[in-house]
Structures are given as C-alpha cells and as structure tokens.
Amino acid sequence: MGDYSKDDFLQLVKRFGAFLTVKISNLLHTLDSRSVGAIAGLAVAIVFTWRVWRSPSAPQRRIPKRQGATPSSSGVSNHSSANAATSGVISTSEDSNAQNVIDEFFQPVKPTLGQIVRQRLSEGRKVTCRLLGVILEETSPEELQQQATVRSSVLEVLLEITKFCDLYLMERVLDDESEKKVLLALENAGVFTSGGLVKDKVLFCSTENGRTSFVRQLEPDWHIDTNPEITFQLARFIKYQLHVSPTKPERTAINVFNSITFEQFFGNV
C-alpha cells in the first residue's frame, strides 16, 4: 500500500465500493440473511478504514529557533532591564509613601487637655477644691497673711475645669486681709476673666469644720483636698475625692480616693 499515493488509494476504495454495491445488489436476491450480514459488516469495516485514513495527523510542535544575541538586541535587552529596575524603584517608593500616609492617618490621636480633664473627673459637673497646697503655693493660713501665689503648673488645668464644671474654691483664713490677697492672686492669674469662675464661688471660713460643711451643702461630684481627715469624713457623702499629697503619691480604695499630686492626676491619660 506504500506504493500508492493517497489519491490513488481513495480511487481504489471508491471502485471497490462500487463493485461491492453491484455484487451486493445481485446477491440480495439469492443469499440468506447471514450472508447479507457478513457483507454489511465488511462494508462498515471498509468505511471505518477510509475515515481513519482521511483524519489529519496530530500537528507537530514547532520548536522556536534560538537566535544569537546581536549587539543591537543586547542593547535593547539592557535598556529594558534598566527600565524594569527603574520602574521597580519608583513602585517601591510609591508604596513606601502610601504606607507612610496610611500609618500617619491611623496614628492614635493625642487627647486634648479638655478631654483629659473630663475623663479624669468622670464627667463630673460640680467640683469643690481647697486652695492651700492645691491652687496656691502656700500651705498654711499663716502664710496667706503674708502673700498668696497661684501655682503656674495648675493654672491651665484649673481654667479647663471652669469651662465645663461648676467649680467652687474654699479655704480657711485668719483675717480679711488674707481673703483679699487670695482674690487678688486669682484675679491676676486670669481665673475670673479667662475661666468660668466668679468671685462669689470662692468661699472662706475660719475652721476646718466650716470647709467640711461647705462641701456637704454643695454636694459636689468631686472634692479635692489636702487634709486626710476631711476627705475621710466626706467619704460617705461625696462620690469621688482627690487627696492631694506630694509626699504620698499612692492610691487608696475609698470612692476613687487618690493620694497624688494635682499635676500627676491631670497628667496625660
């Protein structure tokens, strides 16, 4: 069969098919059913062989030829590599800038002094506070007879408290001159002008028990004092107290009863 071409073979198959057709038509009248079945099977086999022969062979894979690197192509390759490297550097730089923007955006926001004061005072709306040792540099009524000095370190916090709290300042004094010195010091510090404090809310008494009575009558949310006896007496009546004592900065569990400096208490959260 190898001596014949594909066309010759097809012609041979066609002639053989025509010959079989004639023979089958002549024999149909004389042969039995078995003979007819055999001839039909032979015809099917021939048709199947012909279809297989006509089916195209599987396409061969073409192997690309390797081209030698010419000077010009080498230059183009180097230029492309340089562009890719530059693009990579630019992309890295852009990613770094984008990450910096994201990090800056999601940085925790530092609370303002007003927010710190509100948080420390637990949103309390009324506050009573002793003057000596807390707002003033002086620590005894005898010193007030000489002078009254507002502590610069607490002034900013004091003004912030007056913005949203009903603040009352109180102190025991020995004479009227001491009262005038205290009021003048507060006025010079700008407490009455910059804040919400008025002179009528600066209370004076002649005994420590008098200060205790003032606090109980006002019923504040917070009371700030330096005398541990008064804070202990008021523990049953005042929800929150701050005991200011520079020599004992520790915490005591009595209605959020703190022994700490004024500055430390209102420091950063």
Side-chain angles (χ1 to χ4, degrees), residues 80-226:
S80 300
S81 300
N83 288 340
T86 304
S87 176
V89 172
I90 294 175
S91 177
T92 303
S93 177
E94 291 177 351
D95 293 343
S96 178
N97 293 335
Q99 186 62 41
N100 291 336
V101 172
I102 293 174
D103 293 341
E104 184 177 355
F105 181 79
F106 285 103
Q107 277 185 349
V109 179
K110 185 177 180 179
T112 64
L113 179 60
Q115 292 172 335
I116 294 174
V117 171
R118 287 181 178 87
Q119 182 174 352
R120 289 301 190 190
L121 295 179
S122 306
E123 299 294 338
R125 301 303 300 174
K126 184 181 289 188
V127 178
T128 55
C129 180
R130 183 182 189 180
L131 284 165
L132 286 175
V134 182
I135 308 302
L136 301 178
E137 296 282 357
E138 292 72 26
T139 58
S140 67
E142 289 75 16
E143 292 182 55
L144 289 180
Q145 290 180 313
Q146 303 298 324
Q147 63 181 8
T149 309
V150 176
R151 300 175 61 188
S152 59
S153 59
V154 303
L155 181 59
E156 188 176 2
V157 175
L158 179 65
L159 295 176
E160 195 66 38
I161 293 175
T162 61
K163 291 180 181 179
F164 72 96
C165 285
D166 189 12
L167 178 64
Y168 291 83
L169 300 179
M170 55 191 64
E171 190 49 65
R172 179 173 73 90
V173 293
L174 301 178
D175 51 36
D176 295 340
E177 289 299 321
S178 297
E179 293 185 19
K180 293 179 181 179
K181 287 182 175 63
V182 171
L183 293 174
L184 182 60
L186 293 173
E187 185 175 3
N188 292 337
V191 175
F192 298 130
T193 56
S194 301
L197 185 67
V198 295
K199 292 184 180 181
D200 292 340
K201 292 183 179 180
V202 181
L203 309 176
F204 298 98
C205 58
S206 58
T207 63
E208 291 293 276
N209 289 333
R211 192 165 75 252
T212 304
S213 299
F214 282 156
V215 176
R216 291 189 58 180
Q217 291 175 13
L218 292 170
E219 297 181 346
D221 300 305
W222 274 87
H223 177 64
I224 304 172
D225 209 299
T226 60

Side-chain angles (χ1 to χ4, degrees), residues 117 120-121 127-130 132-135 151 154 157 161 211 215 220-228 230-232 234-235 238-246 248-252 254-267:
V117 171
R120 289 301 190 190
L121 295 179
V127 178
T128 55
C129 180
R130 183 182 189 180
L132 286 175
V134 182
I135 308 302
R151 300 175 61 188
V154 303
V157 175
I161 293 175
R211 192 165 75 252
V215 176
D221 300 305
W222 274 87
H223 177 64
I224 304 172
D225 209 299
T226 60
N227 191 330
I230 291 182
T231 53
F232 180 77
L234 294 173
I238 308 303
K239 186 176 182 180
Y240 300 112
Q241 291 193 78
L242 174 63
H243 177 223
V244 176
S245 175
K248 189 182 177 183
E250 61 185 27
R251 207 176 185 92
T252 307
I254 302 179
N255 292 339
V256 193
F257 174 78
N258 301 283
S259 180
I260 194 172
T261 65
F262 191 82
E263 293 87 345
Q264 287 174 335
F265 182 76
F266 290 105

